[in-house]
């Protein structure tokens, strides 16, 4: 199929972006890497009047590191994140997860901010952002605001981004020396969206997990933190018994939907499997 006709605007500044977004209101879409938006247009799942192509805006691109944060600009391509030595050193969870985002050709065009703004519940990066305590910077005509990742995702394809907003960057706190992360997902084929996945981060001190963050994806309408399981693990070590207790706690934390991918029981079973794998990974080098 071909997309419905639309106007195309290539903008050089955020100011121009706001002009176009205001002009077309709900009938405008921001175009970043186009890897999700263009297929949606081609299938006529979306038929906006105007595409606002933000690719020329330099301030939305790049990875920078300060004493306290790592900042990834919204327009930074997945491939650049994947190759970044700074990401590998400071955000190993992202470095690991990004290899599971689609395929190399899509990662060459798709952007970090596009994945966050799209908020597909089965996407890897939103869950990683929640596990790592990221914050998102959003710009609009009236100024800038910052939203914590765990408040940003409202539901399937629903976020704190409102009409007229542009996601500018994601900012991650720098981890301390005891910080460990682990990632696992189950998909039909490598590069497909996950059936179920788990992104985890914790401080590991003498074998004990401190403040573990265990965030599932593909199992709800947004990233889902396994808070009961995490509370039970906090301060203790990883053993067969603690893994079993964390797996059992998932019945309280997760409420998987019954859909074409599988039954709730099937997904809960996969989540238990991933919980075991990820907890062992977290303490693997202790
Ligand atoms: C075959 C295939 C497999 C894929 N598999 C996976 C996968 O396994 N995991 C995964 O996570 N993704 C997957 N994707 C999606 C891919 O990662 C996309 O790159 C990503 O979802 C969107 O990024 P984009 O830059 O292409 O955004 P676009 O397609 O340009 O935009 C997506 C949406 O976000 C909005 N948007 C984009 N940037 C901004 C911004 N800065 N501010 C405000 N709104 C913005 C757009 O208006 C649009 O609504 C797959 C895609 C394909 C085609």
């Amino acid at each position: 199929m071909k997309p419905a006709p639309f106007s195309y605007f290539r903008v050089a500044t955020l100011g121009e972006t706001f002009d176009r977004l205001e002009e077309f209101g709900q009938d405008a879409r921001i175009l970043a890497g186009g890897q999700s938006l263009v297929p949606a247009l081609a299938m006529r799942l979306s038929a906006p009047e105007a595409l606002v192509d933000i690719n020329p805006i330099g301030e939305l691109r790049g990875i920078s590191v300060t004493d306290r944060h790592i900042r990834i600009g919204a327009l930074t391509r997945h491939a650049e994140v994947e190759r970044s030595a700074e990401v590998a050193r400071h955000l190993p969870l992202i470095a690991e997860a990004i290899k599971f985002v689609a395929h190399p050709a899509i990662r060459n065009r798709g952007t970090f901010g596009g994945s966050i703004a799209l908020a597909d519940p089965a996407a890897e990066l939103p869950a990683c952002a929640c596990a790592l305590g990221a914050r998102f910077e959003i710009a609009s005509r009236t100024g800038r605001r910052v939203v914590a990742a765990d408040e940003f995702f409202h539901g399937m394809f629903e976020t704190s981004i409102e009409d007229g907003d542009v996601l500018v960057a994601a900012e991650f706190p720098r981890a301390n020396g005891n910080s460990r992360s682990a990632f696992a997902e189950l998909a039909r084929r490598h590069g497909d969206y996950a059936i179920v996945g788990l992104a985890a981060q914790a401080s590991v001190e003498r074998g004990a997990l401190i403040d573990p963050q265990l965030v599932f994806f593909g199992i709800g309408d947004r990233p889902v933190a396994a808070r009961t399981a995490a509370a039970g693990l906090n301060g203790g070590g990883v053993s067969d018994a603690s893994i079993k207790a964390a797996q059992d706690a998932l019945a309280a934390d997760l409420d998987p939907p019954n859909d074409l991918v599988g039954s709730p029981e099937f997904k809960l079973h996969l989540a238990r499997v991933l919980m075991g794998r990820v907890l062992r990974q977290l303490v693997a080098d202790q």
Side-chain angles (χ1 to χ4, degrees), residues 5 36 39 81 119 123 135 146 162 171 173 271:
S36 297
V81 174
R135 291 156 23 117
V146 170
E162 294 171 6
E171 201 166 72

Side-chain angles (χ1 to χ4, degrees), residues 29-37 54 74 78 100-102 106 110-111 113-115 117-118 123-124 161 165-167 191-193:
R29 292 284 178 287
I30 289 176
L31 176 68
Q35 299 303 296
S36 297
L37 182 56
I54 58 173
H78 296 316
F100 291 83
V101 175
I106 292 163
T111 65
S115 280
L118 182 67
E124 291 80 3
I161 296 175
D165 284 345
V166 180
L167 178 65
D192 282 4
Y193 276 106

Side-chain angles (χ1 to χ4, degrees), residues 8-13 17 30-35 52-61 74-77 108-111:
Y8 170 83
F9 301 97
R10 193 167 164 85
V11 289
T13 64
T17 311
I30 289 176
L31 176 68
Q35 299 303 296
V52 183
D53 180 351
I54 58 173
N55 279 275
I57 307 178
E59 73 168 285
L60 299 182
R61 261 197 302 278
L75 271 181
T76 312
R77 310 272 174 213
N108 281 339
R109 273 316 283 177
T111 65

Side-chain angles (χ1 to χ4, degrees), residues 9 11 15-25 28 50 52 141:
F9 301 97
V11 289
E16 269 184 65
T17 311
F18 303 140
D19 291 344
R20 294 301 183 186
L21 293 177
E22 260 171 36
E23 187 181 342
F24 289 92
V52 183
R141 170 77 79 205

Side-chain angles (χ1 to χ4, degrees), residues 136-140 142-147 160-162 165-166:
F136 302 126
E137 186 179 320
I138 299 168
S140 73
T142 53
R144 296 201 180 206
R145 65 189 194 280
V146 170
V147 181
S160 298
I161 296 175
E162 294 171 6
D165 284 345
V166 180

Side-chain angles (χ1 to χ4, degrees), residues 3 5 9 16 23 43 56 75 78 81 95 124 155 158 174 178 205 211-212 219 223 239-241 243 254 270:
F9 301 97
E16 269 184 65
E23 187 181 342
M43 289 186 275
L75 271 181
H78 296 316
V81 174
E124 291 80 3
E158 295 287 334
R174 271 178 74 152
N178 293 325
E205 295 173 20
D211 193 21
I219 203 157
S239 62
D240 289 347
I243 290 173
L254 304 178
L270 298 186

